[in-house]
Amino acid sequence: LSLLSVPSPIVAFVPRPTNQMIMIRTTTVRLFSTRARAPSVSRVSDELLQMFNTQITNELEASQLYLAASIWCDKDDLVGMAAYMRNEATEERGHALAFIDFANKRNMAIKLEDVKAPKADWENVEEIWQDVVASEQENTEALLALGDVSASCKDHALTTFLQPYHTEQVNSEDSLSTILSKVTDENRTPGLIRQLDHELGQEAGSHVA
């Protein structure tokens, strides 16, 4: 019988870790762990932070104005307009909360300001729509100013956050101006207010007879 030659098994030599290797690995782990725990700090200028705080107040005051207008319209049996104003009040409050949520994600130091009481009484329905149009125009200017400062500070996150609100203000002003024009034409077209009230009620999801 011939003997078969069997190859010798290959033995891999694994070097024993030195103290230096262990120290490097430990240091690396600690470094990554420290970075994971580090909080993100938002570097926002004092001017930008103040304007951001003020914009939250603007949104809350706009919400209060719409709510007061809704109450007035409901008392005058303009239930469609009341529903429309109530929806707008909820939307404006939602804007304020969205600003707060954005600030919290960036650890911005938000301080809520006093919200002044809105006007509660009007001579007629046209005066109400004049006031809400003026309010939206003021809010537009404030948002544009905030956007300008954000861009000059190169705060890209805030600039991006504000863009949908700029577009929404264009749509809001256009819609409200159209409504105001129709209300103003009431003297030349009797019954237009009730028709408009019905249309706004449908838009707001209210079932107005």
Side-chain angles (χ1 to χ4, degrees), residues 13-201:
F13 175 73
V14 179
R16 184 175 182 180
T18 63
N19 291 336
Q20 184 178 4
M21 294 173 61
I22 294 175
M23 289 177 62
I24 293 175
R25 291 175 181 174
T26 304
T27 303
T28 302
V29 171
R30 288 177 179 174
L31 179 60
F32 288 148
S33 177
T34 302
R35 287 179 179 175
R37 290 195 302 266
S40 58
V41 179
S42 178
R43 298 177 180 177
V44 180
S45 70
D46 291 340
E47 179 187 10
L48 186 56
L49 182 59
Q50 180 57 52
M51 293 180 70
F52 192 92
N53 275 323
T54 300
Q55 188 56 39
I56 294 175
T57 306
N58 293 341
E59 301 292 344
L60 292 174
E61 288 182 349
S63 176
Q64 291 288 81
L65 176 62
Y66 275 114
L67 187 58
S70 174
I71 294 172
W72 189 95
C73 289
D74 191 69
K75 288 181 178 179
D76 205 41
D77 292 330
L78 296 169
V79 292
M81 291 186 183
Y84 181 92
M85 297 291 190
R86 175 70 70 91
N87 282 357
E88 292 298 309
T90 301
E91 184 174 305
E92 297 294 347
R93 179 175 173 79
H95 292 170
L97 295 177
F99 270 71
I100 292 172
D101 289 341
F102 176 83
N104 286 339
K105 290 176 182 178
R106 300 187 61 192
N107 294 330
M108 294 169 63
I110 293 299
K111 295 180 181 179
L112 295 181
E113 303 170 343
D114 292 337
V115 178
K116 64 182 180 182
K119 185 176 180 179
D121 197 17
W122 290 267
E123 292 294 328
N124 51 61
V125 68
E126 181 179 355
E127 191 176 297
I128 285 184
W129 289 102
Q130 288 174 343
D131 283 353
V132 296
V133 168
S135 174
E136 289 292 350
Q137 290 172 341
E138 291 174 1
N139 203 22
T140 295
E141 292 302 318
L143 281 166
L144 290 174
L146 178 59
D148 288 342
V149 175
S150 174
S152 65
C153 293
K154 296 183 179 180
D155 192 327
H156 304 297
L158 179 55
T159 299
T160 302
F161 171 76
L162 292 173
Q163 286 176 352
Y165 294 96
H166 295 317
T167 303
E168 184 173 337
Q169 286 303 118
V170 172
N171 295 331
S172 294
E173 286 193 37
D174 178 63
S175 177
L176 291 173
S177 295
T178 299
I179 294 172
L180 177 58
S181 295
K182 291 181 178 180
V183 171
T184 304
D185 287 342
E186 165 68 11
N187 292 333
R188 290 180 293 178
T189 311
L192 183 60
I193 290 294
R194 294 298 169 181
Q195 176 61 31
L196 180 59
D197 182 64
H198 177 78
E199 293 174 1
L200 292 175

